[in-house]
Amino acid sequence: MVAQAWSRALCARLCPGAPRRLHGWGSAAFSSRSPSSSTNDGFLKEKRAQIMSRGLPKQKPIEGVKQVLVFASGKGGVGKSTTAVNIALALAAHDSTKGVGLLDADVYGPSIPKMMNLKGNPELSPKNLMRPLKNYGIACMSMGFLVEETAPVVWRGLMVMSAIEKLLRQVDWGQLDYLVIDMPPGTGDVQLSVSQNVPVTGAVIVSTPQDIALLDARKGAEMFRKVHVPVLGLVQNMSVFQCPKCKHETHIFGADGVRDLAKTLGLDVLGDIPLHVNIRETCDAGQPIVISQPQSDTDGCSTIHSTGGFSTLRLQASKSD
C-alpha cells in the first residue's frame, strides 16, 4: 500500500531508532504518546535545529504547475475549504481549457475527499509518483486518501512538514494552470513549508465578518506578507443570512467586517458569500454548489466574478500564457 510505504519512509528518515513495522500513517509509531517519544523528541529537536541552521530553503516550482493559489484563514470554521473547493471548480468551469488541481494541505483534518466525493488510494505512476484522484475534472490530493477516514493523525511538526513536501513533490499533477491549495487554519509549519518551498502566485484570505475571526484573518495576511507571498484579496464568507420564508436579511456574524479589514490592509475584497443552507448541504453531499446548482445566485461565485475576483485570480496565469 502507498500509505504503508510512505509511513516506513518517513519513519526511517525522521525516527531512525523507531521500529520499522508500521500499519499506516495513523500508526502509534507516530503518536506523541508512544513509548519511544522521549527518544524521538531529542532527535526531532536536533533535526529541527539542523534545518533552521541552513536558513530558508530555495523555492522550487512544482513540475507541470504554472500557478499556485493558496486559500487560507487564521481561524477554523469560517468556510475556507468550502470556498476553496467551489472556487477551484468555478475556475475550471469558467475556462474549460485550463487545468485545475486541488491540494488539501490540512494534514490533521482533511475535508476535500468528502467535499469532492472521492475515496480510495492513489495509484503510482511509472516514476513512482502518486496519481491524484479526479472528480468534476479536478485533480485532487489529500492526506485523507492515505489514512482511514476515522484515523487521527498524531504527528509532530517536522513530520507534518515532510508529509506536505511529499504531497507537493511526489504527486504526478500532469499539466495544471492552477493548483489551489486549501491550507489549514493558523500560521504554523504548513503555511511556512508551502510558502518557503513553492513559488506561490498569491494567497486568498477567507473570513467571516465576526471580530474574532477578523483578528486571526489579519494575522494570516500579515504572515504571507512577511514571507513575500502576494495577498490577492479577501473573501467575506457567511456575510448575510436571508430567511427562506420571509426573505428578511440578517447579518448574523456582523456586517462589512472583512471590507473594513481590507481597507485597513490596503487589499481588495474579492466578493461576498452568503450564509445559505444549500452551500453547506451540497458540500456535505460531495456535490459542491458550483457543480450541482451552477445557476444558483447563492454560491457567491457570481458575486466574486462581478467584483473582479476571478480576474484577479486569473491575472498571473494570463501573463504567463
Side-chain angles (χ1 to χ4, degrees), residues 189-254:
D189 289 330
V190 173
Q191 287 80 2
L192 289 175
S193 183
V194 171
S195 59
Q196 293 177 353
N197 284 277
V198 177
V200 178
T201 301
V204 176
I205 306 296
V206 181
S207 179
T208 65
Q210 185 180 9
D211 288 347
I212 297 300
L214 293 171
L215 288 173
D216 289 340
R218 179 167 188 165
K219 293 176 184 177
E222 295 292 357
M223 184 216 69
F224 283 116
R225 284 178 167 177
K226 285 187 176 181
V227 295
H228 308 295
V229 171
V231 180
L232 301 180
L234 282 67
V235 172
Q236 182 164 259
N237 195 25
M238 308 182 198
S239 58
V240 64
F241 172 75
Q242 185 183 75
C243 177
K245 293 184 178 180
C246 69
K247 305 302 180 183
H248 175 72
E249 293 187 347
T250 303
H251 296 278
I252 295 177
F253 295 104

Side-chain angles (χ1 to χ4, degrees), residues 18-310:
R20 294 298 181 89
R21 184 179 181 182
L22 299 174
H23 302 288
W25 283 65
S27 168
F30 289 116
S31 172
S32 59
R33 297 182 181 180
S34 65
S36 60
S37 62
S38 58
T39 302
N40 292 342
D41 282 351
F43 174 79
L44 290 173
K45 289 180 180 178
E46 181 181 351
K47 190 70 175 178
R48 184 185 292 273
Q50 292 175 356
I51 293 175
M52 296 302 293
S53 66
R54 300 172 191 164
L56 295 178
K58 185 177 180 179
Q59 289 184 336
K60 180 182 176 183
I62 303 173
E63 185 175 353
V65 177
K66 291 183 179 180
Q67 305 294 328
V68 176
L69 302 173
V70 299
F71 281 70
S73 67
K75 184 173 291 296
V78 298
K80 169 188 50 61
S81 296
T82 301
T83 304
V85 165
N86 279 295
I87 291 295
L89 291 167
L91 285 169
H94 183 80
D95 189 345
S96 59
T97 66
K98 301 295 185 182
V100 180
L102 183 59
L103 172 60
D104 187 352
D106 194 341
V107 172
Y108 295 115
S111 55
I112 297 303
K114 182 174 180 61
M115 291 185 179
M116 291 294 289
N117 195 27
L118 288 168
K119 289 184 179 180
N121 299 118
E123 297 179 353
L124 291 179
S125 72
K127 294 183 179 180
N128 207 34
L129 298 176
M130 291 187 297
R131 288 190 171 125
L133 276 64
K134 290 187 177 182
N135 197 12
Y136 308 124
I138 305 292
C140 302
M141 180 52 63
S142 169
M143 181 64 69
F145 301 145
L146 305 171
V147 298
E148 295 295 329
E149 186 175 2
T150 58
V153 176
V154 189
W155 289 356
R156 300 189 185 278
L158 189 60
M159 299 168 99
V160 173
M161 292 167 68
S162 181
I164 292 296
E165 177 71 12
K166 292 180 184 300
L167 289 173
L168 288 168
R169 305 292 183 191
Q170 296 189 13
V171 175
D172 182 6
W173 289 108
Q175 298 298 315
L176 296 180
D177 294 279
Y178 305 102
L179 176 61
V180 174
I181 301 182
D182 177 27
M183 302 283 257
T187 55
D189 289 330
V190 173
Q191 287 80 2
L192 289 175
S193 183
V194 171
S195 59
Q196 293 177 353
N197 284 277
V198 177
V200 178
T201 301
V204 176
I205 306 296
V206 181
S207 179
T208 65
Q210 185 180 9
D211 288 347
I212 297 300
L214 293 171
L215 288 173
D216 289 340
R218 179 167 188 165
K219 293 176 184 177
E222 295 292 357
M223 184 216 69
F224 283 116
R225 284 178 167 177
K226 285 187 176 181
V227 295
H228 308 295
V229 171
V231 180
L232 301 180
L234 282 67
V235 172
Q236 182 164 259
N237 195 25
M238 308 182 198
S239 58
V240 64
F241 172 75
Q242 185 183 75
C243 177
K245 293 184 178 180
C246 69
K247 305 302 180 183
H248 175 72
E249 293 187 347
T250 303
H251 296 278
I252 295 177
F253 295 104
D256 295 328
V258 172
R259 294 187 179 279
D260 294 339
L261 176 61
K263 290 179 181 178
T264 301
L265 298 176
L267 297 172
D268 294 327
V269 176
L270 301 180
D272 290 83
I273 301 176
L275 178 62
H276 199 283
V277 66
N278 285 357
I279 300 176
R280 192 271 303 169
E281 287 179 342
T282 53
C283 269
D284 282 352
Q287 299 176 341
I289 196 167
V290 168
I291 291 296
S292 58
Q293 302 176 28
Q295 303 304 319
S296 172
D297 59 356
T298 63
D299 63 2
C301 289
S302 57
T303 305
I304 293 176
H305 185 273
S306 65
T307 57
F310 278 111

Side-chain angles (χ1 to χ4, degrees), residues 6-20 22 29-30 159:
W6 274 32
S7 296
R8 296 190 188 98
L10 272 179
C11 187
R13 182 175 180 180
L14 301 177
C15 310
R20 294 298 181 89
L22 299 174
F30 289 116
M159 299 168 99

